[in-house]
Amino acid sequence: MEKQFVIIVAGGQGLRMGSSTPKQFLNLNGKPVLMHTITKFHEYSNEIEIILVLPNDHFSTWQSLCEKYNFKVKHKIIAGGETRYQSVKNGLSAVTSDGLVAVHDGVRPLVSKTLIEKCYKEANVKGNAIPCIEVNETVREVMNEGNRQLNRNNIKLIQTPQVFIVEILKKAYELPFSAEFTDDASVIEKAGNKINLVNGEKQNIKITTELDLKIAEYFLANVQN
Amino acid sequence: MEKQFVIIVAGGQGLRMGSSTPKQFLNLNGKPVLMHTITKFHEYSNEIEIILVLPNDHFSTWQSLCEKYNFKVKHKIIAGGETRYQSVKNGLSAVTSDGLVAVHDGVRPLVSKTLIEKCYKEANVKGNAIPCIEVNETVREVMNEGNRQLNRNNIKLIQTPQVFIVEILKKAYELPFSAEFTDDASVIEKAGNKINLVNGEKQNIKITTELDLKIAEYFLANVQN
């Protein structure tokens, strides 16, 4: 397989948690969320190049945590930007060869090695791989006037890791920033590429609230990962 | 205000839980889920008429549970049908006067009295009230060819209680069954009515898995309801 990179985006300030601790540093089963996430990629492949994008003012906290937890998984640290878009773009500057690059949320520690592997493999064949899950609720779309029911069988909630061929993602990130760029798939779609959806995992949640942390603990205790 | 009814639909067989106990009968903080749900409406108003729709073969289990837990909240029991649509239709046959009728999932025990009140009030003015919440993920729609990003600010996940003017809902339920009827809003929309969305509540979850039960316990312990 091609050379593999992962950009782990950990830019969040944790404001939604109502605490001053950024959510990627919160403790999950004995170690910070972000260490779980990084370790998952390292366990998938110890040859993968791990690029961690952190806000500048979290560098020293992260360094202290790595010392405290004796965290030895090799990773390169890059300063984040004002937006997620800018953070990923900064991360891409550390991707120094061709190959495949995953972009993954630092606060998705429950991603499985199976899903990581599937996304790299699919992207290698199809140019990209974007994991998604079904929605269980009835879904409506608000329009200029009124709203309408959507066919929920066609609605997908998007996750990470989103994996791309390096040169395609770099090319897409030459586009100017737009508010509609809520993930990387939206950037490469805007650049004219077709999106290749793959089945994600329900337990691959994004930890943004105190409840999410409890759910993550539940999955760690109850679901084979 | 008008005379008020609620049809509580508790038709689920609990198959997704991987257990033989229907999910509405599972224990949540010391009593069955369904008793929490019924009590919430009774606490909102002790004049409300409560109609519980249960599968025929759950009648005796429910009666035993009511005796065991000394559950005294007055409610009428109606036999459910093959589909949710048929169950609600059966429930409507027990709505014997004009007024307002809510339809609520038996497995949404965490609905607040505030939300119940808001839905009845809004429906009284606008004909219906359908609670919904935001979606936090990036959302894509699968099309005949490929897929596209939707503006997630316009996407709403639908909850219950959905409240209607009795005669409008009864009229809508004269329509023949369709697979697109995943809730009551979809039925009255098909009958030509406009849907009035109101803000729902994140904790008003539908309990369909073991994890949902854990989340419900978390909310009961941590969120003012």
Side-chain angles (χ1 to χ4, degrees):
Chain A
M1 177 135 12
E2 309 277 324
K3 169 89 180 151
Q4 294 178 4
F5 301 86
V6 59
I7 297 171
I8 294 177
V9 187
Q13 301 290 334
L15 299 180
R16 272 199 277 184
M17 304 287 288
S19 86
S20 58
T21 305
K23 46 202 186 289
Q24 61 268 24
F25 297 152
L26 288 176
N27 193 298
L28 171 65
N29 275 26
K31 65 181 178 191
V33 164
L34 190 50
M35 289 183 191
H36 287 269
T37 310
I38 292 173
T39 301
K40 211 55 85 58
F41 279 86
H42 180 68
E43 286 177 355
Y44 154 67
S45 159
N46 58 19
E47 292 182 6
I48 199 170
E49 268 192 43
I50 299 172
I51 298 154
L52 174 62
V53 184
L54 270 183
N56 240 319
D57 55 1
H58 292 170
F59 278 26
S60 62
T61 306
W62 177 243
Q63 199 176 345
S64 307
L65 287 170
C66 286
E67 283 163 19
K68 179 177 170 190
Y69 290 88
N70 196 26
F71 187 68
K72 298 290 190 196
V73 176
K74 195 179 156 195
H75 60 279
K76 185 166 197 170
I77 300 175
I78 298 283
E82 285 286 300
T83 58
R84 187 184 189 283
Y85 173 87
Q86 189 58 51
S87 291
V88 173
K89 193 163 181 164
N90 294 358
L92 273 173
S93 70
V95 175
T96 51
S97 83
D98 286 348
L100 295 166
V101 57
V103 183
H104 187 66
D105 297 322
V107 290
R108 289 194 195 260
L110 299 186
V111 61
S112 76
K113 282 172 274 180
T114 310
L115 181 59
I116 295 172
E117 183 174 15
K118 180 166 70 177
C119 289
Y120 278 107
K121 277 190 172 162
E122 279 260 345
N124 196 32
V125 176
K126 302 198 173 168
N128 67 76
I130 312 299
C132 65
I133 57 170
E134 314 274 308
V135 60
N136 293 321
E137 294 90 343
T138 295
V139 182
R140 302 190 75 87
E141 181 179 26
V142 174
M143 299 175 297
N144 285 339
E145 284 210 8
N147 58 80
R148 66 182 181 119
Q149 185 177 11
L150 298 178
N151 182 344
R152 68 176 164 194
N153 298 322
N154 296 337
I155 303 301
K156 307 292 174 187
L157 305 178
I158 302 301
Q159 303 185 326
T160 70
Q162 302 185 355
V163 184
F164 309 90
I165 289 172
V166 167
E167 63 181 347
I168 295 178
L169 191 62
K170 282 191 171 175
K171 180 81 188 158
Y173 266 88
E174 290 171 8
L175 288 171
F177 172 73
S178 157
E180 72 199 88
F181 294 157
T182 53
D183 65 352
D184 305 286
S186 53
V187 182
I188 74 147
E189 181 174 48
K190 185 81 171 183
N193 302 283
K194 283 188 179 172
I195 300 302
N196 175 40
L197 296 177
V198 302
N199 287 328
E201 293 168 337
K202 196 174 176 188
Q203 84 264 23
N204 179 22
I205 61 166
K206 190 170 176 175
I207 297 180
T208 58
T209 65
E210 192 66 41
L211 170 62
D212 295 332
L213 206 59
K214 298 284 176 193
I215 296 174
E217 282 167 9
Y218 172 85
F219 278 126
L220 280 174
N222 293 280
V223 179
Q224 207 68 2
N225 204 9
Chain B
M1 172 124 30
E2 309 276 323
K3 169 90 179 152
Q4 295 177 4
F5 301 85
V6 59
I7 297 170
I8 294 177
V9 187
Q13 301 289 334
L15 300 179
R16 272 198 279 184
M17 303 288 286
S19 86
S20 58
T21 305
K23 46 203 186 291
Q24 61 269 23
F25 297 152
L26 288 176
N27 194 298
L28 173 64
N29 275 24
K31 66 183 177 189
V33 164
L34 190 50
M35 288 183 192
H36 286 269
T37 309
I38 292 174
T39 301
K40 211 54 87 57
F41 279 86
H42 179 67
E43 285 176 356
Y44 155 67
S45 160
N46 58 19
E47 291 181 8
I48 199 170
E49 268 191 43
I50 299 173
I51 298 155
L52 174 63
V53 184
L54 269 184
N56 240 319
D57 54 0
H58 291 171
F59 277 25
S60 62
T61 307
W62 177 243
Q63 198 176 349
S64 306
L65 286 169
C66 286
E67 283 163 18
K68 181 177 170 189
Y69 289 89
N70 196 25
F71 187 68
K72 298 290 190 194
V73 177
K74 195 179 155 195
H75 60 281
K76 186 168 197 168
I77 301 175
I78 297 285
E82 286 286 302
T83 58
R84 188 184 189 284
Y85 174 87
Q86 189 59 52
S87 291
V88 173
K89 193 164 180 164
N90 293 358
L92 273 173
S93 69
V95 175
T96 51
S97 82
D98 286 348
L100 295 166
V101 57
V103 183
H104 188 66
D105 297 321
V107 290
R108 289 195 194 262
L110 300 186
V111 60
S112 76
K113 282 172 274 181
T114 310
L115 181 58
I116 295 172
E117 183 173 14
K118 181 166 69 176
C119 290
Y120 277 107
K121 276 190 173 163
E122 278 259 345
N124 196 31
V125 176
K126 301 197 173 169
N128 66 75
I130 311 299
C132 65
I133 56 170
E134 313 275 309
V135 60
N136 293 321
E137 294 90 343
T138 295
V139 182
R140 301 191 76 87
E141 181 179 26
V142 175
M143 299 175 298
N144 286 339
E145 284 210 8
N147 58 79
R148 66 184 181 115
Q149 185 178 10
L150 298 179
N151 181 344
R152 69 177 164 195
N153 298 322
N154 296 336
I155 303 300
K156 306 293 174 187
L157 305 179
I158 302 301
Q159 303 185 325
T160 71
Q162 302 184 354
V163 184
F164 309 90
I165 289 171
V166 167
E167 62 181 349
I168 295 178
L169 191 61
K170 282 191 171 176
K171 180 81 188 156
Y173 266 87
E174 289 172 7
L175 288 170
F177 172 73
S178 157
E180 73 199 88
F181 293 158
T182 53
D183 65 350
D184 305 285
S186 52
V187 181
I188 74 147
E189 181 174 50
K190 185 82 171 184
N193 302 284
K194 284 189 178 169
I195 301 301
N196 174 41
L197 296 177
V198 302
N199 287 329
E201 293 168 336
K202 196 173 175 188
Q203 83 263 24
N204 179 23
I205 60 166
K206 190 170 176 175
I207 297 180
T208 58
T209 64
E210 193 65 41
L211 169 63
D212 295 331
L213 206 60
K214 299 283 177 193
I215 296 174
E217 282 167 9
Y218 173 85
F219 277 127
L220 279 174
N222 292 281
V223 179
Q224 207 67 1
N225 204 10

